Amino acid sequence: MLERTSRSGPEGWLTTPVGTAGRRWARLALPHADPADEERHAMVLERAAAALELARMAERDQLALELQAQGGFLAEIAAERLTRADAAVRAQSLGLPSAPAYVAAVAQPGDQHVRDLVERLAARVRSARLDALIGPLNERQVGLILAQPSTRRPALIDRLVDALDGADVVLGVTDPEPDIAGAGAQLRHAAQVAEAASSMSSLVRLPYYRSSDVRLAGLLALLHDDPRLQGFVESELGGLLAHDAEHDDGLVDVLREYVNLGGSKTRLSERIHLSRPAVYKKLARIARITGFDLDRPESLLSIGVAVTAYDLHHRLTRAN
């Protein structure tokens, strides 16, 4: 796109770019401009382009303020800091109408930055005529609370999924709640479902996920900050984690792959590109450090749960 006012194209129209340098988003053209009065025409075009850019910036600033306010509100109700009455009043002041029920959802992006994603999702949700509050919950996730009209929840969620079509996100949803505060309290649950779903590469890709879809990972995500679960992880993996921290052997990564492959040494050898004797040696070292017989199914199951809990805990801790 042109970076300055000039004549362009086969018609030789007088043209000027719209937008700041390096971020042009449109251009204005004046057909059949009189060359004898070109300086005045160029000035009019440039002023019009500047007015368009200012209007767009004002609109974006207003949207940014609205989304910031909505995000702050979602964070408050997710932490259950508001009474039901206060939550209802605040939600209505932010533009969410009264409804028979409300649904909490959390979108977790792939490679997109959350701040960029919030604006894109907000635009899509508005285009789909969904009544919703939307904003960042943390550095990795975007929260939504949707007003559910007198229809079934799947119809509402399907409309949300259609609105997000093409967006690289994992969507966690929860059951409807009769009030805003109840839906807000479910945001943490939806966030944990989305986190669990995004962490499981073996999970079948679905339009959205509920607790029943993520199963064990979902349960562990819900319990990730429970001291009893943390104690279990420490008893299973503490020695191995300490060894890796001291020697940087990557044995936890080897164990993770071994568990994910169902205890197959042959497939593990192929996955980590080591000979079978080298794989046997690493697994023997893991067994010595942990004290577990890795060939026993119950040991593999217990260690698998511990590794999953460990990974989820660290992902959720970073997210919050």
Side-chain angles (χ1 to χ4, degrees):
M1 187 173 289
L2 293 174
E3 287 296 321
R4 60 186 180 83
T5 303
S6 62
R7 291 187 177 271
S8 64
E11 302 88 354
W13 289 355
L14 191 62
T15 305
T16 195
V18 182
T20 57
R23 301 188 66 179
R24 307 300 192 190
W25 53 275
R27 64 177 177 172
L28 292 178
L30 181 62
H32 313 302
D34 185 353
D37 205 12
E38 186 164 312
E39 185 176 345
R40 185 174 66 86
H41 290 157
M43 181 182 67
V44 171
L45 271 181
E46 289 167 359
R47 287 181 177 178
L52 285 174
E53 175 64 10
L54 286 173
R56 190 185 194 215
M57 290 172 63
E59 183 179 346
R60 288 190 59 137
D61 286 346
Q62 180 62 34
L63 176 60
L65 288 173
E66 290 178 8
L67 294 177
Q68 183 178 2
Q70 292 181 24
F73 171 70
L74 293 180
E76 284 192 76
I77 57 173
E80 301 183 61
R81 296 175 187 153
L82 300 176
T83 65
R84 293 182 183 276
D86 287 343
V89 171
R90 288 272 301 277
Q92 289 187 26
S93 71
L94 290 169
L96 190 68
S98 297
Y102 302 88
V103 174
V106 170
Q108 181 156 324
D111 297 329
Q112 301 177 68
H113 195 285
V114 162
R115 290 182 182 177
D116 296 332
L117 180 65
V118 169
E119 291 190 9
R120 292 175 186 173
L121 295 191
R124 293 187 180 204
V125 166
R126 291 183 180 186
S127 296
R129 299 181 181 239
L130 291 168
D131 293 315
L133 298 179
I134 179 170
L137 284 183
N138 49 57
E139 293 181 355
R140 289 177 53 79
Q141 296 177 318
V142 177
L144 303 95
I145 288 186
L146 299 100
Q148 177 176 295
S150 54
T151 58
R152 297 178 300 110
R153 182 196 68 162
L156 177 67
I157 298 302
D158 287 344
R159 288 178 61 197
L160 176 62
V161 169
D162 289 342
L164 303 186
D165 182 42
D168 181 19
V169 299
V170 172
L171 190 66
V173 302
T174 61
D175 291 328
E177 292 286 337
D179 54 58
I180 295 288
Q186 290 295 317
L187 278 170
R188 291 182 63 188
H189 180 70
Q192 290 162 349
V193 169
E195 183 68 47
S198 67
S199 71
M200 299 173 63
S201 58
S202 61
L203 198 65
V204 176
R205 186 65 187 259
L206 299 175
Y208 59 89
Y209 298 90
R210 299 162 296 180
S211 292
S212 58
D213 297 314
V214 295
R215 305 179 72 183
L216 175 62
L219 174 63
L220 294 176
L222 291 174
L223 300 174
H224 81 98
D225 56 357
D226 189 310
R228 292 169 295 183
L229 180 60
Q230 294 172 14
F232 167 73
V233 172
E234 178 63 27
S235 68
E236 295 284 303
L237 300 177
L240 195 61
L241 290 169
H243 175 87
D244 265 6
E246 182 178 353
H247 300 284
D248 194 24
D249 283 351
L251 294 183
V252 173
D253 295 334
V254 173
L255 181 60
R256 181 185 294 107
E257 293 294 340
Y258 184 61
V259 168
N260 289 339
L261 294 171
S264 171
K265 298 179 178 66
T266 299
R267 293 174 63 193
L268 177 63
S269 174
E270 296 170 352
R271 176 69 62 85
I272 64 177
H273 307 292
L274 289 177
S275 66
R276 291 193 64 175
V279 164
Y280 286 136
K281 185 176 180 180
K282 283 186 176 290
L283 292 176
R285 191 181 309 151
I286 292 171
R288 283 197 307 273
I289 294 169
T290 61
F292 300 134
D293 183 351
L294 299 183
D295 291 325
R296 295 179 61 186
E298 58 268 32
S299 287
L300 200 62
L301 174 61
S302 185
I303 291 174
V305 170
V307 169
T308 303
Y310 171 78
D311 290 343
L312 281 171
H313 175 75
H314 280 267
R315 286 175 65 91
L316 289 168
T317 300
R318 287 197 301 270
N320 294 324

